[in-house]
Amino acid sequence: MNRILSICVALGLSVSAQSQGYFIWTADEGDFYQSSNWDLNRIPGLNDIVIINNDGTAIIGEDEGERQLSGFELGETEDTSESGHIIMNGGTFRIGEFEGDSKIHVGEGTELSSFIMNGGTLFYDGPDDPAVAGSRSSAGVNENDWEVGEHGKGRFEMHGDAVFRAGDDLKISENSAGNSSVLIDGNARLSVGSGIGMSKGGSEFQELFIGGNAIVDSGNSMGAGHPDGHTDEGYLTMAIDGGKARVVVQDNGTFNFRVLSSRQGVSEFTIKDNGQVHIFDVFAGRGNVDGEEEPDRPAEVSGFRSSLSSGADTESILLLQDNAIMTVNAGNGIGISGPRGGADAGGSAILIVRDSATFRVDQYLALGTGTQSETTNGTLEIRGSNASVFVGENLNMAVDTDGEIPTTDATNEDGSPVPGKSTLKAVITSDSHGTLEVGGIARIAQGILKINLDGYTPKGGESFTLIQGGTIEGEFRETDFSEAPLAEGLSWEIDYSEDAVKLNILGETTGGPTELAITSSGNEITITWEGGGSLMSAEDVVGPWAVIEDASSPFTTVSSDSSQFYQVDSAPKPQ
């Protein structure tokens, strides 16, 4: 950019003084750089804005070299059926790099417009401007956003080895009038200096999908840790002002950013397959660098807290499944229904870690720490035996970082504040369960413990370590076993110690039906069951029943022509 500017100055010209030309696309489909496809019958360039409103498609070839443009409009006018499309297959495209260039729009009309990158590199709003390289207070030359569906329908896609760098924001219908989606997969790379914002109002979900081996960085205009980039924030902001936002990171996709928030509306964030999400100082750190055992993810120490559902009228879910990984390295930790600033009310939010997924926060995890007890409601759900959750410092359940209840809207009879709702939910699926590891203090005295049995029937004698400290501070103020019924003779026990909370099942079953599994092969049947007892058979379901001598699991017999029924009696097996 500086080279071109120097030439203009040497000629006694000013870049800003060059008049902008407006080029209107006239073809149905064709080469972007063929003059006859434009109304002015010449090829647009540095100072020009292109407009495609006829549902036409302009194609940028694989070998176009480096080109420049002031801006473009795809489907220019709100509340009309205008639409347009650009397909970029290669080359380098520099857009909006000079002061006074306007922001672009992908989809202002009611019909879908799209910008699809199958390859090539695109620089927007001076992400590599050397004048601001290394700056933590720059948001691009003009602070222009890459707008997808600001007031209409838009779609932005990246595939193959496509690379996108922007000085300011990627906006995904951050306006109630818009409806849009973004898909990034293959080996694509996207980076923005300021942030990614989506869904400000509106009734439709605005969506961001990251898959394949794609990497998305928010917080360094040239990619995580790049010295030529700049930033001023580095956020992922989901639903605000009653919007609906959906983010999915799947396959082997990676999403790095500095701050997470959802403030008002509905937000759904899913990390699945081998997808990864990392919160750290993206400006300074490079993330997971190939060939290095230790990822370069320094702590984010400034700005707002990362928080889901900071506002009262907010519903958020963060789901980690399969082999997903999420890490947080931020001085303020992360809140699940907690304040973004100093005094946010808090809404409803749940973090679910299941299958073989891993969640790790190096600092503290806050659950239900908003200021309004009527609205703040944070839940951590650990499902199954292979889910992994680690909190490096303190677990704060309905208390702030000082261990005090932060609510201000209601008090108990003794004058103490009524705490918000803060829940640890253990979904037990087998005879073992994933442990919440806490390096500091587990402040659970204002928390709720909820137990759920899913597909597992306890037999008695099981013990599950729910929390391993650190230090355990207090006992759960409330326990809920309504979704965990036990057989007669069994009971739940919570065992508190200085550094652990264990859940034990006391007693032995006193009877009841034993589940049999029956398989057949040819004229033979095999019966298997768990536990002791005697296998019995009868020709009628009501009996009479007879003990099969010396039968133990698995038991194989020859099938007969008559009906045969089997059950296991809880009495001791015959000796």
Side-chain angles (χ1 to χ4, degrees):
M1 183 181 73
N2 279 3
R3 179 180 62 83
I4 296 173
L5 181 60
S6 297
I7 292 172
C8 292
V9 171
L11 294 175
L13 302 175
S14 167
V15 171
S16 61
Q18 306 301 303
S19 60
Q20 289 180 325
Y22 290 85
F23 285 66
I24 298 176
W25 181 261
T26 58
D28 290 332
E29 180 178 302
D31 186 349
F32 188 99
Y33 292 108
Q34 182 172 322
S35 58
S36 61
N37 289 329
W38 300 100
D39 65 331
L40 298 182
N41 199 32
R42 56 186 176 89
I43 298 173
L46 173 64
N47 295 302
D48 301 321
I49 296 173
V50 302
I51 299 169
I52 305 178
N53 285 332
N54 65 342
D55 196 35
T57 301
I59 301 173
I60 300 172
E62 294 183 12
D63 302 315
E64 289 296 343
E66 182 169 314
R67 305 274 190 157
Q68 292 178 296
L69 197 66
S70 176
F72 65 80
E73 297 282 342
L74 304 180
E76 178 186 22
T77 310
E78 297 178 43
D79 300 322
T80 70
S81 59
E82 294 174 351
S83 64
H85 312 273
I86 293 178
I87 297 176
M88 182 176 178
N89 294 319
T92 299
F93 211 3
R94 291 185 171 273
I95 303 175
E97 292 195 314
F98 296 103
E99 291 185 10
D101 286 341
S102 60
K103 70 178 179 180
I104 62 90
H105 291 94
V106 181
E108 290 291 88
T110 58
E111 298 296 323
L112 180 67
S113 295
S114 63
F115 192 105
I116 298 174
M117 295 183 68
N118 295 315
T121 300
L122 194 154
F123 294 90
Y124 178 63
D125 200 30
D128 57 344
D129 182 358
V132 291
S135 172
R136 286 183 177 265
S137 60
S138 175
V141 175
N142 295 289
E143 299 189 6
N144 281 339
D145 302 329
W146 183 270
E147 294 279 2
V148 184
E150 183 178 15
H151 302 101
K153 291 186 177 180
R155 185 167 177 84
F156 178 45
E157 297 182 11
M158 296 180 66
H159 312 288
D161 295 318
V163 176
F164 176 95
R165 310 295 190 192
D168 199 359
D169 296 333
L170 167 63
K171 292 292 181 65
I172 307 172
S173 286
E174 201 187 63
N175 187 300
S176 60
N179 184 9
S180 64
S181 61
V182 172
L183 169 63
I184 305 168
D185 61 17
N187 293 306
R189 301 290 184 264
L190 180 145
S191 60
V192 292
S194 190
I196 298 176
M198 53 195 306
S199 189
K200 183 178 181 180
S203 59
E204 303 292 331
F205 272 97
Q206 315 307 325
E207 297 176 321
L208 169 62
F209 293 92
I210 302 170
N213 297 301
I215 298 177
V216 175
D217 298 317
S218 176
N220 188 316
S221 60
M222 289 298 291
H226 200 294
D228 294 339
H230 57 258
T231 189
D232 68 338
E233 291 184 83
Y235 60 81
L236 169 64
T237 298
M238 299 184 71
I240 60 176
D241 290 354
K244 293 182 176 180
R246 178 179 291 126
V247 175
V248 178
V249 181
Q250 60 191 17
D251 304 325
N252 295 297
T254 299
F255 194 3
N256 301 316
F257 50 89
R258 296 169 62 188
V259 180
L260 170 65
S261 71
S262 64
R263 307 176 204 173
Q264 184 184 32
V266 178
S267 295
E268 299 177 358
F269 196 163
T270 300
I271 313 166
K272 62 182 184 178
D273 303 325
N274 296 301
Q276 297 191 26
V277 170
H278 304 287
I279 299 177
F280 64 99
D281 185 355
V282 175
F283 188 67
R286 294 173 294 168
N288 188 10
V289 184
D290 292 338
E292 295 185 9
E293 293 184 4
E294 290 296 325
D296 180 25
R297 301 190 191 108
E300 175 62 35
V301 296
S302 61
F304 291 104
R305 300 181 180 95
S306 283
S307 175
L308 287 176
S309 295
S310 59
D313 189 16
T314 314
E315 296 179 11
S316 304
I317 178 170
L318 174 56
L319 169 62
L320 281 69
Q321 66 183 61
D322 305 321
N323 296 302
I325 296 174
M326 181 172 181
T327 67
V328 180
N329 188 10
N332 290 316
I334 188 169
I336 307 300
S337 181
R340 172 176 173 262
D344 295 313
S348 175
I350 181 170
L351 165 60
I352 301 173
V353 186
R354 57 173 298 163
D355 305 325
S356 297
T358 298
F359 176 85
R360 178 187 180 95
V361 53
D362 287 345
Q363 293 77 23
Y364 67 81
L365 174 64
L367 301 174
T369 57
T371 62
Q372 303 298 299
S373 62
E374 289 293 319
T375 63
T376 188
N377 182 359
T379 298
L380 168 61
E381 176 181 313
I382 301 176
R383 177 180 290 265
S385 59
N386 295 319
S388 175
V389 180
F390 174 81
V391 179
E393 296 181 6
N394 299 335
L395 171 67
N396 296 326
M397 300 189 71
V399 295
D400 60 21
T401 54
D402 295 321
E404 303 295 328
I405 299 173
T407 52
T408 59
D409 61 326
T411 57
N412 295 306
E413 290 183 359
D414 61 0
S416 63
V418 175
K421 191 172 182 181
S422 177
T423 304
L424 173 62
K425 182 176 181 180
V427 180
I428 297 172
T429 61
S430 67
D431 59 1
S432 61
H433 185 69
T435 300
L436 168 57
E437 297 182 54
V438 179
I441 303 171
R443 294 172 168 144
I444 63 173
Q446 303 303 328
I448 300 167
L449 175 64
K450 185 175 180 65
I451 305 299
N452 176 283
L453 290 173
D454 186 2
Y456 176 69
T457 302
K459 301 172 181 60
E462 296 95 333
S463 181
F464 309 97
T465 302
L466 299 182
I467 304 175
Q468 182 67 58
T471 303
I472 307 300
E473 185 175 277
E475 300 181 0
F476 289 106
R477 68 179 174 92
E478 182 181 329
T479 56
D480 181 355
F481 295 95
S482 61
E483 296 179 0
L486 296 175
E488 185 178 352
L490 301 182
S491 62
W492 293 105
E493 176 195 57
I494 304 176
D495 178 18
Y496 298 94
S497 65
E498 290 185 359
D499 64 352
V501 178
K502 294 184 178 181
L503 180 66
N504 302 321
I505 300 177
L506 305 180
E508 297 181 356
T509 55
T510 59
T514 298
E515 183 175 339
L516 302 179
I518 301 177
T519 58
S520 62
S521 176
N523 65 342
E524 291 185 340
I525 62 170
T526 299
I527 304 168
T528 58
W529 67 95
E530 294 183 2
S534 301
L535 181 64
M536 308 177 72
S537 67
E539 294 184 354
D540 192 288
V541 72
V542 296
W545 293 89
V547 172
I548 302 175
E549 300 294 334
D550 298 323
S552 60
S553 178
F555 173 75
T556 300
T557 185
V558 177
S559 60
S560 63
D561 294 333
S562 60
S563 297
Q564 200 75 8
F565 298 88
Y566 296 90
Q567 71 174 16
V568 172
D569 192 313
S570 60
K573 187 175 71 174
Q575 302 297 314

